[in-house]
Amino acid sequence: MCGVFGLVAHEPVNQSLYDGLQMLQHRGQDAAGIVTVQGNMFHMHKGKGMVRDVFRTRNMRDLRGNAGIAHVRYPTAGSAGSGAEAQPFYVSSPFGIVLAHNGNLTNTDELYENVCNRHLRHINTRSDSEVLLNVFAHELRREVTSSNDVQLSVDNIFNAVSQLHRCVRGAYGVVALIAGYGLVAFRDPNGIRPLVLGAQTDEQTGKTAYAVASESVAFNCLAFDLERDIAPGEAVFITFDGQFYSRQCAENTKLSPCLFEYVYFARPDSVIDGVSVYQSRVKMGVALAEKVKQHLSVDDIDVVMPIPDTSRPSAMELAHHLGKPYREGLIKNRYIGRTFIMPGQATRKKSVRQKLSPMASEFEGKNVLLVDDSIVRGTTSREIVEMVRDAGARKVYFASAAPEVRYPNVYGIDMPTREELIANGRSAEEIAREIGADACVFQELVELENLVRELNPEIEGFEDSCFSGCYPTGDIDEAYLKRLSEGESTGSAAFVQPSLIDHNVRVDISSDTDE
C-alpha cells in the first residue's frame, strides 16, 4: 500500500509535489521519491525514510520542470527492503519512462520471465513495480514499432495500456512520465487500488493544471478540485502542454475497491470512489454499537475510548449510540509512525509503547470499551490491553470496526500469511484470550460492505479478501497461498539481488546516460 502523485502544470511543480506527497505520508513511511521533467531530462531524487527526511533544500532545487510524479513506499513484503526499491523507477527505452506504482501484482514471476528472458530487458531490484514498468515499456515499444513511426501517438499510449491490462494481474494504480510527451495514469480493471483526478484552472490565463493521486487529500493543500475517480481499467494521458485525453483500456471491468482503505489506510478527509472516508467510519460506529449491544452488557461499560487515530470517528459514534461517555485515555506520540505499516514484527511491537501513553486517571477502576479500526496480527492490541490494565482498568473490552482478518492479502497490504493473523482459526472468545481482553466484538462483513455501499450505490463489490478469503482477480488459489506462507516466489518475489545505485540522479534522455 503506497501513495502515488502526478502533476502537470504551467509552472515549477517541485514544491507542489513535495506538499502533495506529505499529504500521502500515511500511505507509506519506508521510502519516498520525486521525479520532475524539464525538456528531455528527468530530475530524480529518492531514498529511504519519510518525506521530510528524504528531501532537503538542495534536492528540491535540482527538481526542475513543470511536470512530475512522486511516491511514498510501503513495503508489502513486510521488511524494510533496500533503498534501491524506492520509487519512481526509470528505463531509458523507449523515449525514457519513469513510473510509480501503488499495489501489488500477483503474476510477477510470469511477467518477469517474459520481460527478462523473452524481451531481454533487465530488472535491477526485487520490486514488482519495476517489472510493471518494463512491461509497459515493452508494450509501448511494440506499439511504435508496429506503426512504423518514431513519434508516439495518443493511440499508441492507450493501446500499450490495453495490452498491459491483458497480461498483468493484481492491483495497481500507476502514474508515469514519458519524456517528450506527457503523464500517463491508469488503474487496474477491478479498481482495487484508488486513483483520483484533480484539476485547477487559472482564471487569468485560462490554462488548466491536472493532478492524479492515490487520495483526494493530496489536492487539498494545492487548491485543486477533485474532478472524479479514474475508473477501473481507465487510462488518462496529459501532454506536457496541458491537453487531456482519457480512454477505457480494459474489458470486463468492475468497481471493487479495497475495503481496508475505508477501515484503516485512507485519511478520513479523503473521498475515494465517491465515498467520504470519514462518513464511512462514522457509520461503522453505528453498526458496531448494535453488535456490542448483542454481545456485551452495556450497563457493564463505564467508558468508551478510541485507539488513536483511525478509530476516532467510529468510537465517538459508538459511544453516542450506547449512551456512554467518550474519553481520550490513550495519548499518541505523533512523532512515531503508524505501527501497522512499520516493517518487521519486532519493530512494530517495540513501537507500540513509544507511540501510546495511557492516562491512569481515565482508567482507574473502570470497565473500558476500547475501539480500534481492526485487529490484524494482534501485537498492538495485546500491548495496549496490557497497558490499560497496568493503568488500573478493572475490565477491558475490545471492539473492532472491521471484521476478523482471517486471510492473507495479496494486493498490497502487509498481511501476507495466515500464520501472522491472530484471527486465523480462532473465535472471538479465543482472540480475546490471546490479547488479554475480557471480550472482543467484531463488525459484521455484510454490515460493513452495506454501509459503505450506501454512500455510493454504484460500487459493484469490494476487495474484501482479508475478511472473506475471496480474491477478485481470480488467480489466487490454495497452492498460491501455500507458497506465500512458505516464503516461495509468487507475486512480489525476490528476483535478483539489488545493486547499489545512485538515488540522486538526473537522467539526460537524449544521450541515455545517468549523471
Side-chain angles (χ1 to χ4, degrees):
M1 188 72 68
C2 303
V4 298
F5 186 40
L7 184 59
V8 177
H10 304 282
E11 60 186 10
V13 296
N14 52 354
Q15 186 65 53
S16 295
L17 287 167
Y18 178 88
D19 293 343
L21 203 59
Q22 279 203 314
M23 300 294 280
L24 298 173
Q25 183 72 84
H26 61 284
R27 298 188 67 86
Q29 302 162 7
D30 183 61
I34 294 176
V35 175
T36 59
V37 60
Q38 183 186 39
N40 65 348
M41 181 174 287
F42 289 138
H43 304 284
M44 179 187 296
H45 180 73
K46 59 181 181 177
K48 288 180 63 62
M50 298 178 73
V51 175
R52 68 189 179 208
D53 301 319
V54 171
F55 299 97
R56 294 287 185 261
T57 302
R58 64 182 180 276
N59 310 131
M60 298 301 295
R61 288 182 183 139
D62 289 337
L63 296 172
R64 300 183 297 273
N66 294 352
I69 62 174
H71 184 270
V72 285
R73 180 177 184 265
Y74 153 68
T76 57
S79 62
S82 165
E85 296 181 9
Q87 298 186 39
F89 286 113
Y90 162 76
V91 290
S92 63
S93 176
F95 308 108
I97 306 169
V98 287
L99 177 145
H101 163 222
N102 168 32
N104 198 57
L105 307 186
T106 55
N107 66 329
T108 314
D109 285 350
E110 173 190 339
L111 297 172
Y112 177 79
E113 179 74 19
N114 289 336
V115 164
C116 292
N117 297 336
R118 293 180 56 190
H119 307 320
L120 305 181
R121 304 186 71 91
H122 177 251
I123 306 298
N124 198 53
T125 71
R126 293 172 289 187
S127 172
D128 60 343
S129 303
E130 190 183 10
V131 175
L132 183 64
L133 166 60
N134 278 272
V135 171
F136 179 58
H138 171 74
E139 296 300 340
L140 208 57
R141 172 177 284 281
R142 189 161 66 172
E143 276 293 315
V144 176
T145 303
S146 64
S147 64
N148 295 315
D149 197 344
V150 295
Q151 295 297 315
L152 189 62
S153 70
V154 175
D155 285 341
N156 291 151
I157 294 170
F158 287 144
N159 290 343
V161 176
S162 295
Q163 287 300 122
L164 180 147
H165 284 322
R166 291 188 179 99
C167 64
V168 171
R169 295 192 297 273
Y172 46 95
V174 171
V175 292
L177 295 174
I178 304 174
Y181 291 93
L183 182 147
V184 186
F186 53 90
R187 191 178 182 190
D188 66 83
N190 291 289
I192 296 173
R193 297 271 70 85
L195 203 60
V196 294
L197 175 69
Q200 180 190 73
T201 301
D202 188 299
E203 295 181 356
Q204 294 182 340
T205 65
K207 294 181 178 180
T208 300
Y210 292 96
V212 177
S214 294
E215 292 183 36
S216 63
V217 70
F219 304 152
N220 295 355
C221 65
L222 305 177
F224 272 67
D225 296 322
L226 172 62
E227 295 291 301
R228 61 181 177 85
D229 296 276
I230 292 176
E234 182 187 12
V236 301
F237 174 61
I238 306 156
T239 65
F240 289 139
D241 60 3
Q243 298 179 65
F244 179 88
Y245 304 88
S246 67
R247 183 181 299 177
Q248 177 53 254
C249 294
E251 302 172 351
N252 303 317
T253 62
K254 182 180 180 181
L255 180 55
S256 302
C258 174
L259 198 55
F260 218 70
E261 290 278 358
Y262 303 104
V263 169
Y264 174 80
F265 267 102
R267 269 182 46 156
D269 44 347
S270 285
V271 177
I272 295 178
D273 289 310
V275 174
S276 162
V277 176
Y278 179 81
Q279 289 182 2
S280 71
R281 291 176 184 170
V282 168
K283 292 173 80 65
M284 289 176 203
V286 177
L288 187 58
E290 294 303 314
K291 189 75 182 291
V292 168
K293 290 177 183 178
Q294 297 172 18
H295 293 271
L296 298 178
S297 171
V298 176
D299 292 337
D300 198 39
I301 299 171
D302 296 321
V303 64
V304 175
M305 293 188 187
I307 296 173
D309 285 321
T310 318
S311 64
R312 272 202 183 96
S314 298
M316 292 180 72
E317 201 66 15
L318 182 147
H320 174 71
H321 279 262
L322 293 183
K324 294 294 179 179
Y326 170 89
R327 293 287 186 272
E328 296 271 355
L330 293 166
I331 305 304
K332 182 179 179 181
N333 179 350
R334 299 187 181 279
Y335 300 96
I336 299 292
R338 301 177 87 176
T339 53
F340 174 73
I341 60 176
M342 282 187 172
Q345 186 80 337
T347 303
R348 190 179 298 112
K349 180 176 180 179
K350 178 182 177 182
S351 70
V352 176
R353 289 183 180 260
Q354 296 174 327
K355 177 182 176 181
L356 296 174
S357 176
M359 290 192 293
S361 60
E362 293 297 323
F363 292 104
E364 186 68 40
K366 295 177 182 176
N367 296 340
V368 180
L369 175 60
L370 297 176
V371 181
D372 206 354
D373 50 76
S374 59
I375 304 177
V376 181
R377 296 169 177 84
T379 306
T380 301
S381 305
R382 188 181 299 113
E383 291 291 318
I384 290 173
V385 170
E386 184 178 331
M387 281 194 298
V388 170
R389 289 197 187 279
D390 290 344
R394 190 169 56 200
K395 290 184 180 180
V396 181
Y397 301 116
F398 208 105
S400 168
E404 297 93 329
V405 176
R406 298 189 184 278
Y407 304 94
N409 182 284
V410 298
Y411 300 121
I413 300 177
D414 185 15
M415 47 179 77
T417 64
R418 290 175 182 167
E419 292 75 16
E420 289 183 284
L421 306 175
I422 194 169
N424 176 43
R426 294 187 177 96
S427 65
E429 292 77 14
E430 290 170 329
I431 295 171
R433 286 197 294 271
E434 285 291 322
I435 67 173
D438 292 281
C440 279
V441 178
F442 290 88
Q443 187 83 267
E444 293 289 342
L445 179 57
V446 173
E447 287 294 327
L448 179 59
E449 293 186 343
N450 286 342
L451 66 87
V452 176
R453 191 180 285 112
E454 285 175 4
L455 296 171
N456 182 7
E458 294 184 4
I459 294 178
E460 301 170 73
F462 293 95
E463 195 293 288
D464 60 6
S465 58
C466 61
F467 307 122
S468 68
C470 299
Y471 298 89
T473 53
D475 59 332
I476 308 301
D477 55 18
E478 188 63 32
Y480 184 103
L481 297 178
K482 183 178 179 181
R483 293 197 304 273
L484 197 66
S485 294
E486 293 172 350
E488 296 180 15
S489 176
T490 51
S492 184
F495 304 120
V496 295
Q497 188 66 29
S499 61
L500 296 176
I501 63 175
D502 181 5
H503 299 302
N504 190 10
V505 61
R506 293 186 294 278
V507 184
D508 185 347
I509 300 305
S510 60
S511 62
D512 291 334
T513 59
D514 292 356
E515 295 184 0

